[in-house]
Amino acid sequence: MTHRNGLDFLVVGARKSGTTTLFEHLRRHRRIHLPPEKEIPFFARDDWYEKGLGWYLDRFFAGADADALWGTITPQYMEDGVRSIRRIARDCPSARLIAMLRNPIDRTYSAYRMEVRRGRERRDFAAVVAEQVRPEHAERARSLPWASDDRIDTYVVTSEYGRLLEDWYGYLPRERLLVLFTETYAERTGTELDRVLEFLGLAAGFRPPNLDARYNVGSRSRDLRGPVRWLRAAQLPRLFWRLLPKARRDGVLRWYWRHQAVDSAPGGKPDRDSVELLRRHFRPDVERLGVLVGRTPPWPDLVSG
């Protein structure tokens, strides 16, 4: 199976910035085809990419209408950096790219809390921030690959949108990259959705029935940790799990983390000292971002003047 453009568009990031909400809105448009599995990092995985773009399209776009716009929402691409950028630019030369960016302090804390819920992070947030804003630590973290086991060391550097987007602009024409801000999308969802549709060459005015819904809000989900502990201990479910294809297991895990509600990270907000450290760290990068996109990001505490 082939498609005239390979992919027509990609939402490339950032993680924990509302890309699931955008996914749930766009997937209801009759002229858009998105795979049911969000976050399929084909261009960021060497083992997948080696199989070729045709393999990827056959596997994840089987049955898609050839006249629809084919797209993917994979926020890992922004963190993967130049490797994914080069591959996308080469294999999808006419694709349009969308980046959704959230206040970097909020995004950093949200990424930290997600890893706490997953059991991979046990450090106090204040200690994490103090370590990760150190210049020598940040320099090392920026060089880590997206799938690194040291991902818990990249909360801060993966919120440096100005630095990250400079690489994208270095490989892609400016008119092919649309930058959205999470906060603006939440406040003016219809208007911002129209911007996305027009950017993709579709008519404005589409309003999905779930327009006012927000997704991946952990505090509103159910606590599934008890059932999961039972499944891990039971032999039959474990055998069934091993027989599932890896793509299906990955989908189940994504569903679990999306619906895991009980946030075991200490406190509901970051401490003041950590916030101030992050403000000082991010302000130059936010200024850099504003110059790149030609408008001021909606984060008053990070904008000079």
Side-chain angles (χ1 to χ4, degrees):
M1 178 181 63
T2 59
H3 186 52
R4 62 189 182 278
N5 297 320
L7 287 178
D8 295 294
F9 71 94
L10 303 92
V11 177
V12 297
R15 286 195 306 147
K16 309 305 294 178
S17 294
T19 57
T20 299
T21 297
L22 184 59
F23 171 80
E24 294 293 345
H25 290 164
L26 292 180
R27 68 193 288 261
R28 287 165 169 78
H29 195 292
R30 63 182 183 82
R31 292 283 313 283
I32 291 175
H33 180 87
L34 290 165
E37 304 95 335
K38 178 177 173 280
E39 302 185 14
I40 307 169
F42 168 71
F43 294 103
R45 284 186 53 169
D46 290 337
D47 58 332
W48 281 7
Y49 188 72
E50 290 169 359
K51 297 179 181 180
L53 184 63
W55 170 87
Y56 168 67
L57 297 177
D58 286 343
R59 177 168 181 177
F60 295 105
F61 291 82
D65 185 345
D67 293 327
L69 295 180
W70 291 13
T72 180
I73 296 184
T74 307
Q76 292 89 342
Y77 290 150
M78 182 174 289
E79 297 178 17
D80 192 54
V82 172
R83 176 176 60 170
S84 285
I85 299 169
R86 287 175 174 167
R87 291 172 173 178
I88 291 169
R90 179 171 59 243
D91 295 348
C92 304
S94 60
R96 291 182 171 268
L97 288 297
I98 300 171
M100 181 173 278
L101 310 178
R102 178 183 181 185
N103 181 304
I105 296 176
D106 296 339
R107 198 219 73 90
T108 297
Y109 189 55
S110 181
Y112 162 80
R113 289 167 71 89
M114 179 176 69
E115 297 303 330
V116 170
R117 289 196 298 272
R118 291 178 172 181
R120 292 195 286 227
E121 178 60 85
R122 294 178 173 82
R123 299 171 296 177
D124 179 76
F125 185 68
V128 168
V129 169
E131 173 68 14
Q132 293 194 12
V133 298
R134 292 172 54 230
E136 57 270 31
H137 182 284
E139 183 177 359
R140 183 187 74 85
R142 290 177 189 127
S143 67
L144 291 173
W146 159 71
S148 169
D149 291 336
D150 295 328
R151 189 185 302 175
I152 60 173
D153 291 329
T154 66
Y155 306 134
V156 171
V157 299
T158 51
S159 299
E160 295 170 348
Y161 310 131
R163 175 184 63 85
L164 293 166
L165 282 181
E166 272 190 345
D167 287 335
W168 290 92
Y169 282 122
Y171 283 85
L172 298 165
R174 184 169 295 271
E175 64 271 13
R176 283 177 51 201
L177 180 58
L178 173 67
V179 174
L180 305 173
F181 295 117
T182 306
E183 297 80 6
T184 305
Y185 193 90
E187 292 173 3
R188 301 195 296 269
T189 305
T191 301
E192 292 296 287
L193 181 57
D194 282 344
R195 288 185 65 210
V196 172
L197 296 173
E198 292 173 344
F199 177 69
L200 298 178
L202 299 171
F206 168 71
R207 297 293 182 265
N210 61 338
L211 184 69
D212 295 326
R214 295 293 176 267
Y215 297 86
N216 263 357
V217 182
S219 62
R220 297 180 183 177
S221 307
R222 298 176 58 194
D223 183 3
L224 303 175
R225 290 177 297 177
V228 168
R229 282 195 293 267
W230 177 83
L231 287 170
R232 285 175 175 169
Q235 294 298 320
L236 186 59
R238 289 173 64 188
L239 175 61
F240 176 73
W241 177 259
R242 287 196 295 268
L243 293 175
L244 283 175
K246 185 178 185 303
R248 184 61 58 84
R249 294 200 303 269
D250 290 345
V252 171
L253 288 172
R254 284 193 297 271
W255 176 89
Y256 166 67
W257 293 122
R258 184 181 303 173
H259 289 79
Q260 170 57 282
V262 176
D263 200 336
S264 52
K269 294 182 179 180
D271 61 282
R272 292 182 180 179
D273 289 343
S274 296
V275 169
E276 187 52 40
L277 281 175
L278 290 172
R279 280 180 184 147
R280 291 201 297 267
H281 180 87
F282 285 130
R283 275 177 180 144
D285 187 77
V286 170
E287 182 177 351
R288 186 180 186 181
L289 173 65
V291 172
L292 278 174
V293 303
R295 66 187 191 278
T296 302
W299 310 318
D301 56 333
L302 292 170
V303 177
S304 301

